[in-house]
Amino acid sequence: MMICSKALPLKHSLRLFLAAAVFLFAGTATAAPERVISTGHSITELVLALGAGDSLIAVDSSTRLPADFKKVPVIGYYRQLPVEGMLSQNPQLLIGGEQMGPANTLTLLENAGVKIVKLPEAENGEQLIANIDRLSKVLEKPAAELTKHVVAQLRELKRARTSLSEAPRILFVRAQEGRGLKAAGTGTSPDSLIRMAGGVNAVEFSGYKQLSDEALIELRPDWILFSSDQDAQLQGGAALLEWQPLLKLTPAGKNGAFCSVDGFALLGGMGLASLKEAKKLNEKFSGN
Amino acid sequence: MEFRLSDKSLLPALIALLLLGSCISLAVGAMTIGWRDVLAGLMQWSWPGMLDQEVPEQYALVLGEIRLPRLLLGLIVGGTLGVCGAVMQGMFRNPLAEPGIIGISSGAAVGAGIVLVFGGVLSIWLGAFYQELQWLLLPAFASTGAIFATWLVYILGDRGRSVVMMLLAGIAISALAGAALGMFAYVATDTALRDMTMWQLGSLSGATWTGVLVTGCIFAISAGLLWARANDLNALLLGESEARHLGVDVIGLKRQIIVLNGIAVGAAVSVSGIIGFVGLVVPHIVRLLRGPDHRYLIPYSALLGGLLLTVADTIARSVFAPAEMPVGILTALLGAPFFLFLLWQQRQQIF
C-alpha cells in the first residue's frame, strides 16, 4: 500500500516495487506442490480431475478414491484431523473445506510450514467453478478443460431443467431402523441436488427432520430419493414401501418412482459427482 | 488373593512405570522418530541452538508442540480423574462413585453442548468479542456446567449431609443432562452433532500449552488440598457420626471435596472431553495394591491415573496411525472388562 504513497521518494518506491516483483516471480517459479493431502470427497474429486493425483499422498475418511487409484493412507475424519498423523506424511499442502479442523491442528500444521487452503462448500455452479479456479492456481495445474467441461454440464442441466413441463415434487429420505423416515430439508446437499436436477423439495423445513407418518401423504412427493449407502436395505424402494406402507398413497408410491442417489455425490457440497447425479435424476424426472 | 505391597516397593515401581510410559509416549507416534532424535529434538525445541548437530525442524515441533503437551495433559487429566474418583468413593463410601456417576461429567457435557450447538447464537450475542473469546468458551461453559451440577447435587443432598440423596440427585442430574443433550442433538446441524459426539468420546488431541498450564495448576492445587484432608477422609470411612466424634468437620470436608472436584473435573473435561472409567478403576486398583488409606490412595491414584491415560493415549494415537481414535473409547473398552475381572477376582468387601 505504501508503494504508491507520496511520503516515499520515487526512487525508494521503485526499488520496493522491483523487490516485490522479484519476490512474486520467485513465488511463481517454485515447483508445483508435490505432497498434497486433500480432505472432503468433493474436493479430492476436483484435485484428481485437475490431474494432480500423482501428488496426492493422503486423504480423509470421507473420500472415496477411484478403484484403480494408488493406495494412500487415510488420516481420519476431516473435522478431527490428527496433527502428528498428518505431519508424518510430510505434506506441503493441505486442501479441504471450510469445516476442516480442529483449529488447533491447523495452527500447528501451519507452524510446521504446511500450506493450508480452505475452499468454501459449493452450493451452486459459480462456487464450484471458483473452487476449480482456486485449486488450479494452488496446484499449478491448468483448469481450462475442466472448467469448460463443468460449464457445459451446468448449461446442459439448466436447459434440461427448463425443458421439464412441471417441476416434480421430490422427497429425499433417510430410513432409520425402527424409527420411521427422516427427510432432507433446505440447506442440505440433497436439497441442492434436487434443485439442480429441476425438482422442488417436497419439504420446506431446514436440515434433516423426522417426518410424521401422516405428513407423508400430505407432501404428495412425485419421486422419493434415498442415498445409495442404504441401497442394500431398501432394495430400490420395495423395502421402503414395506417399511412405510403409507408411501403407497403418494404419487411416487403409486408409480414406483423411487431412486437411489450416489452417497458420495451428497458429501461436502456440490462436486463433479453431484453434477453427474443431477443429470441422472433429471433424466428420470423427464421420463427419458 | 492378596497382593498388597509396601511403599518401599510400590512407590518406586509406580514412578518407574510412569517414567517408562512417558518415555515411550514421547518416542512413539505417527511420525517415526529414533530414540536419539527424540532427545535431540526435545533439546532443540527447548533451547534452539544448544546442540551442535542439526535436528530436523519437524522433530522439534512434533516433540515440543504435539507430543510433550499431550503427554503432560494425559498425566494431568488422568491424575485428576484418579484423585477425584478416589476422594468421591471415600466421601460417598460407595465403590461406584466417580465423577461420571454423580453427574459432574454430564453437567460439563451440557455446558460443552451449548457451545458446540448454539455457537452461532453465541456469536451474535457476543458480537465482536466472539472471535477473541472463542478459545475460552468451551472450557468456561464445561467447567460452569460441572460446578453447577456438583452444586445441585450438594444442595439436593441436604448440603452434603445425605449421601444417598446425593447419589440419587446425581443419577437424576445425569438423566436430565441426557435429555438436554438429546434435545441439542435434535436441533443441531449435522456438523455440530458430529462435534458433540466426538467431544463426548474424549480425546487428548486438543492439547495445547495453555491447556496444560491451566489444568496443571488447578490439578496441583486441588489435589494438594484434598491430600491434606487425607486423615479426615480416613476417619469418614468409619462412618459419619464416628468421624464427627473423632473431631472431623464432616460437612466442611464434604463441601470442600465437592467444590474442588467440580473445578478440577470441569477443567480436565473441558480440554479432553469425557474420558470414562479412569476415575472408577484407578482408585480400586490402588486399594487392592495398597489398601484404603487415603494418605497413599490419593497420590498413588494420581500417579496411576496419569500412567493409565498416557498409555491409553499412546495406543489410541499410534495403532491406527496416521489416523487416531478417541482415547475415551479405549479407556472404556479396556476399563470396563478389567473392572469386571477385578470384581470377579475380589468377590469380597474391598472397603
Side-chain angles (χ1 to χ4, degrees):
Chain A
M1 279 233 279
M2 291 297 282
I3 292 174
C4 305
S5 150
K6 281 185 181 159
L8 283 171
L10 185 66
K11 211 171 166 186
H12 188 80
S13 344
L14 216 102
R15 202 177 298 158
L16 264 179
F17 181 76
L18 267 176
V22 166
F23 179 75
L24 277 177
F25 179 73
T28 53
T30 54
E34 279 166 10
R35 301 189 63 80
V36 179
I37 297 181
S38 169
T39 70
H41 180 73
S42 58
I43 289 170
T44 311
E45 210 176 43
L46 292 181
V47 172
L48 297 184
L50 281 166
D54 289 341
S55 46
L56 196 65
I57 52 158
V59 293
D60 79 322
S61 57
S62 78
T63 299
R64 177 191 52 184
L65 291 166
D68 55 348
F69 195 77
K70 64 183 177 187
K71 279 257 176 296
V72 294
V74 176
I75 40 140
Y77 185 57
Y78 68 93
R79 294 180 69 84
Q80 293 289 328
L81 296 171
V83 198
E84 204 188 321
M86 299 186 81
L87 277 179
S88 70
Q89 304 300 316
N90 199 17
Q92 290 174 309
L93 174 66
L94 168 67
I95 310 171
E98 267 166 350
Q99 307 281 14
M100 184 168 62
N104 182 30
T105 298
L106 299 186
T107 316
L108 285 168
L109 282 176
E110 247 171 355
N111 290 346
V114 179
K115 187 177 174 190
I116 294 172
V117 174
K118 278 188 176 183
L119 298 172
E121 200 164 280
E123 278 177 9
N124 49 41
E126 287 93 79
Q127 189 59 57
L128 181 61
I129 290 169
N131 281 355
I132 292 173
D133 191 48
R134 177 93 190 277
L135 271 180
S136 95
K137 289 203 177 93
V138 172
L139 297 167
E140 296 182 25
K141 295 276 178 197
E145 205 168 315
L146 181 61
T147 312
K148 215 169 84 186
H149 181 61
V150 169
V151 168
Q153 270 180 303
L154 284 168
R155 205 170 285 155
E156 200 195 319
L157 267 174
K158 196 174 176 188
R159 202 171 37 236
R161 271 202 298 270
T162 45
S163 72
L164 284 175
S165 53
E166 197 188 345
R169 294 172 62 81
I170 317 292
L171 186 67
F172 181 93
V173 294
R174 273 189 181 281
Q176 300 164 285
E177 195 67 55
R179 295 183 64 187
L181 299 171
K182 253 186 175 182
T186 56
T188 60
S189 345
D191 184 67
S192 312
L193 190 67
I194 289 167
R195 279 186 287 122
M196 224 189 333
V200 178
N201 198 339
V203 295
E204 280 165 1
F205 50 68
S206 68
Y208 286 90
K209 298 246 157 67
Q210 189 95 25
L211 276 183
S212 85
D213 295 349
E214 289 157 38
L216 270 177
I217 308 165
E218 197 74 356
L219 288 171
R220 291 177 289 107
D222 297 312
W223 281 86
I224 292 174
L225 311 182
F226 47 89
S227 169
S228 64
D229 28 322
Q230 300 192 323
D231 243 357
Q233 279 171 289
L234 300 180
Q235 290 157 7
L240 202 60
L241 278 177
E242 204 172 296
W243 200 311
Q244 182 47 274
L246 282 177
L247 283 176
K248 281 181 198 143
L249 300 174
T250 64
K254 280 175 197 148
N255 303 327
F258 296 96
C259 184
S260 97
V261 176
D262 179 9
F264 282 91
L266 300 171
L267 279 176
M270 192 205 266
L272 301 177
S274 326
L275 291 178
K276 225 183 269 173
E277 212 54 33
K279 179 145 188 298
K280 192 189 96 186
L281 284 178
N282 180 276
E283 278 163 9
K284 291 228 170 193
F285 297 165
S286 58
N288 292 335
Chain B
M1 203 161 86
E2 181 73 47
F3 35 54
R4 250 167 223 188
L5 301 169
S6 70
D7 294 319
K8 275 193 186 130
S9 50
L10 185 58
L11 189 61
L14 258 183
I15 292 176
L17 278 175
L18 199 64
L19 286 176
L20 182 70
S22 302
C23 288
I24 292 174
S25 161
L26 278 177
V28 173
M31 190 176 262
T32 317
I33 303 178
W35 281 95
R36 287 182 57 188
D37 283 335
V38 168
L39 207 63
L42 275 178
M43 282 157 114
Q44 170 87 19
W45 173 79
S46 53
W47 193 355
M50 183 176 67
L51 294 175
D52 296 334
Q53 90 219 59
E54 264 304 299
V55 187
E57 204 186 332
Q58 301 281 69
Y59 288 5
L61 186 98
V62 166
L63 288 164
E65 297 292 329
I66 299 167
R67 286 192 197 169
L68 192 58
R70 197 163 171 163
L71 164 67
L72 293 176
L73 192 71
L75 295 176
I76 292 166
V77 171
T80 303
L81 294 173
V83 169
C84 290
V87 175
M88 293 233 134
Q89 288 167 9
M91 178 177 83
F92 285 112
R93 275 177 294 137
N94 187 318
L96 283 177
E98 70 136 358
I101 304 250
I102 71 152
I104 304 187
S105 301
S106 320
V110 171
I114 291 174
V115 177
L116 294 172
V117 175
F118 302 108
V121 183
L122 284 172
S123 75
I124 297 166
W125 196 44
L126 288 168
F129 290 114
Y130 182 71
Q131 282 297 329
E132 286 171 47
L133 291 176
Q134 206 172 7
W135 67 275
L136 194 71
L137 279 178
L138 189 65
F141 270 73
S143 299
T144 312
I147 294 170
F148 182 70
T150 328
W151 176 77
L152 212 59
V153 167
Y154 177 70
I155 293 292
L156 286 172
D158 202 8
R159 298 198 171 269
R161 272 184 279 267
S162 165
V163 169
V164 179
M165 277 297 284
M166 284 167 85
L167 268 180
L168 281 176
I171 292 167
I173 285 171
S174 296
L176 193 65
L181 288 171
M183 197 181 72
F184 292 172
Y186 182 70
V187 297
T189 59
D190 277 14
T191 43
L193 190 61
R194 275 272 193 179
D195 280 350
M196 212 165 79
T197 318
M198 283 311 225
W199 186 85
Q200 282 180 51
L201 291 176
S203 164
L204 295 175
S205 65
T208 58
W209 280 106
T210 324
V212 167
L213 221 62
V214 173
T215 50
C217 288
I218 291 175
F219 167 61
I221 293 168
S222 51
L225 287 174
L226 289 169
W227 195 22
R229 302 298 298 263
N231 279 323
D232 294 350
L233 274 162
N234 284 344
L236 197 61
L237 286 184
L238 300 170
E240 275 183 41
S241 57
E242 285 81 353
R244 221 169 280 128
H245 287 307
L246 285 169
V248 176
D249 170 16
V250 174
I251 297 191
L253 176 65
K254 285 182 179 174
R255 200 174 294 172
Q256 205 177 357
I257 290 172
I258 284 168
V259 172
L260 290 175
N261 266 359
I263 294 172
V265 172
V269 157
S270 73
V271 287
S272 63
I274 292 176
I275 293 172
F277 280 101
V278 175
L280 184 65
V281 171
V282 164
H284 281 289
I285 303 176
V286 177
R287 265 190 221 102
L288 288 170
L289 293 173
R290 185 58 185 78
D293 186 343
H294 283 88
R295 284 175 301 169
Y296 306 102
L297 182 62
I298 292 174
Y300 290 5
S301 293
L303 291 175
L304 190 63
L307 172 66
L308 212 69
L309 193 54
T310 301
V311 171
D313 185 54
T314 308
I315 297 172
R317 66 189 166 77
S318 48
V319 168
F320 296 105
E324 61 183 48
M325 73 189 273
V327 72
I329 300 177
L330 204 71
T331 55
L333 215 60
L334 298 177
F338 183 67
F339 187 59
L340 285 173
F341 169 74
L342 277 184
L343 284 180
W344 182 254
Q345 282 243 306
Q346 308 282 315
R347 276 166 292 169
Q348 62 187 44
Q349 273 296 8
I350 48 176
F351 255 91

